[in-house]
Amino acid sequence: MLTAVAERHTRMLLTGDHAVAYAALLARPRLIPVYPITPQTPVLEKLLELQERGALAADVMTVESEHSAMAACIAASLAGARVFTATASQGLALMHEMLHYAAGGRAPVVMVNVNRTLAAPWGFWADQTDSLAQRDTGWLQLYAESAQEALDSVLQAFRVAEAVLLPAMVVIEAMYVSHTLEPVDVPEGGLVDEFLPPYEPPVRLDPEAPRQFGGTVSPAQWRANRLAMQAAMELALEAVEAAGRSYGELTGRPYSRVEAYRADDAEVVLLAAGGIAGTAREAVDRLRREGIAAGLVKLRLFRPFPAADIVRLLGDVPKVAVIDRNCSVGSGGIICQEVRAALHAHGVSRPQVFAFIAGLGGVNVSRDRIVQICRHAVKAQSPPPGSILEEAL
């Protein structure tokens, strides 16, 4: 069985951006509206290269802005086409209005966002604030640790988005994932076709049966649409898990909403999303060798927030150290806020939750830094109410 799975892949050396482009190729979208922005531009460049080679059949539409790109995505998706796009930072911010239109219109667009610092000041480095600032728009959000996970997550995002009729965002970090070369197993097209059949929406824009979307509605109609979106988000929790299992059966790489590493008997658990989770796994191994019972919970799905998983994995742990590469100015790390809210809402009071902010603006978060974070949490009597910055370690 393992041999059969291996034979259906080609191992390639790819950056995260190029892995994303191959995922888009394999998903067979009909339209890719896109506007270039660093550090997303290599996605567009690779897609155009694949199109020029005759490998990519989709229409790659370059438009005048990210706002226009998302508008084109929504129109095509509502007409029944599978649609893909990618952006970063200021481009995502410019799309903000249209992100709400996509979610409210139940358009299952799949987009990759390359996490990048928001201006001002200007920068090109990894920071999760751009995507986390869009957490209330109604988009699913998946965070990928590596180029392999980015490719796999894009394919799973299409399956989930089209099942629950909500748009999905796959997030990778600038430079650390987007521009780092890694070995990536690229599945063959036939295997992906088994996982992701053609998109057949139950309702679509059709000149033969005129209808509209996005028109003026009554308060009751608007409310009903919002509640339907919330219900779809709840369905997405299981859909993400089911897609990860099915993908694993076909490729040998299963995925979950959250992933635990050496957490069963841990006295302190690190929690992180994206590339920092990979470094944290190495830190856990080092801490274990030093006699500290550390573990890791990697948050892969952020929207919908997997609160029940968080409670199940952290409810009996004495201490939790959340590492946020983002900052909601005036409040602190966004992921830590969600973790604390989930535990409180479920009546769980045992874990002391420490809020660490590290790696803002793309500053490297090394294994040694994460070991420092863990030791700090172990020694502290109780967490302070605010965030703990790297300078305090």
Side-chain angles (χ1 to χ4, degrees), residues 100-115:
H100 283 280
Y101 264 95
R106 311 296 299 274
V109 176
V110 170
M111 172 168 65
V112 166
N113 179 66
V114 185
N115 273 147

Side-chain angles (χ1 to χ4, degrees), residues 293-309:
L296 168 69
V297 168
K298 182 176 93 171
L299 186 68
R300 180 167 173 260
L301 177 67
F302 179 77
R303 274 294 180 273
F305 193 76
D309 294 320

